[in-house]
């Protein structure tokens, strides 16, 4: 049995700039039609590995909020903006970002890497992460080009 043919889907480009909240709001507004379904997909993925109700999943996700505020308050602002722009709750956006952490045993997922001097020719730091693709989530794929005020721009899938 052969491997499936690679997808030829073109992924939409979402561009946003401004404060972290404004970046999130623009992201949420542009993806307003997808985000509620993506939350449902995230819950289905979670329940494939460890069944729990929507309420329990959201409550468990909410437990990470104080830690996120302490570690990355700008990103919490961005998540609030996404929630407001898409018309969903902050807990639902938070769930999408911590869903793997809610599992007692999680399957291996993405791999992160960093390259630091002297391994880079110009002395810069490079970092990235792959995305282990869930074929059922293909319709939610997009490219984000974010330009938060006062921070480096980001291009991510």
């Amino acid at each position: 049995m052969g491997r499936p043919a690679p997808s030829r889907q073109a992924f939409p480009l979402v561009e946003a700039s401004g404060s972290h909240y404004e970046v999130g709001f623009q992201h949420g507004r542009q993806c307003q039609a997808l985000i509620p379904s993506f939350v449902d997909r995230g819950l289905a993925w979670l329940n494939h590995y460890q069944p729990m109700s929507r309420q329990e999943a959201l409550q468990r996700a909410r437990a990470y909020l104080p830690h996120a505020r302490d570690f990355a308050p700008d990103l919490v602002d961005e998540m609030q903006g996404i929630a407001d722009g898409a018309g969903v709750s902050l807990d639902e956006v938070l769930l999408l970002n911590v869903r793997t952490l809610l599992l007692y045993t999680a399957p291996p997922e993405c791999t992160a890497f960093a390259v630091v001097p002297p391994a880079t020719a110009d002395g810069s730091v490079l970092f990235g992460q792959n995305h282990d693709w869930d074929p059922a989530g293909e319709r939610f794929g997009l490219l984000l080009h974010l330009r938060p005020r006062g921070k480096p721009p980001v291009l991510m899938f």
Side-chain angles (χ1 to χ4, degrees):
M1 189 169 180
R3 291 172 29 152
S7 171
R8 300 286 184 228
Q9 176 175 338
F11 296 106
L13 174 64
V14 171
E15 296 189 77
S17 61
S19 69
H20 280 278
Y21 178 85
E22 291 166 336
V23 164
F25 187 86
Q26 292 166 37
H27 172 182
R29 182 56 51 96
Q30 292 176 63
C31 298
Q32 190 172 17
L34 287 177
I35 291 176
S37 296
F38 189 43
V39 172
D40 291 341
R41 175 69 200 131
L43 285 162
W45 177 89
L46 183 64
N47 275 281
H48 176 77
Y49 296 103
Q50 184 177 327
M52 67 182 72
S53 70
R54 181 183 191 94
Q55 181 179 355
E56 180 184 358
L58 294 174
Q59 181 179 9
R60 290 178 64 190
R62 190 177 312 117
Y64 286 89
L65 187 56
H67 305 289
R69 280 194 176 117
D70 287 344
F71 183 74
D74 289 344
L75 296 181
V76 174
D77 290 346
E78 196 168 312
M79 285 190 283
Q80 183 66 64
I82 293 169
D84 293 347
V88 299
S89 71
L90 175 59
D91 289 345
E92 289 169 310
V93 174
L94 190 60
L95 173 69
L96 292 173
N97 286 277
V98 301
R99 66 186 181 273
T100 303
L101 299 173
L102 301 184
L103 299 177
Y104 295 118
T105 56
E109 276 199 338
C110 308
T111 302
F113 69 89
V115 182
V116 298
T120 57
D122 66 356
S124 62
V125 175
L126 306 174
F127 61 94
Q129 179 176 339
N130 78 324
H131 180 78
D132 293 341
W133 192 247
D134 171 9
E138 185 171 0
R139 72 186 189 100
F140 303 109
L142 52 94
L143 293 172
L144 293 172
H145 187 198
L146 310 178
R147 292 177 302 282
R149 189 177 306 124
K151 303 278 178 75
V154 176
L155 178 65
M156 69 177 123
F157 175 75

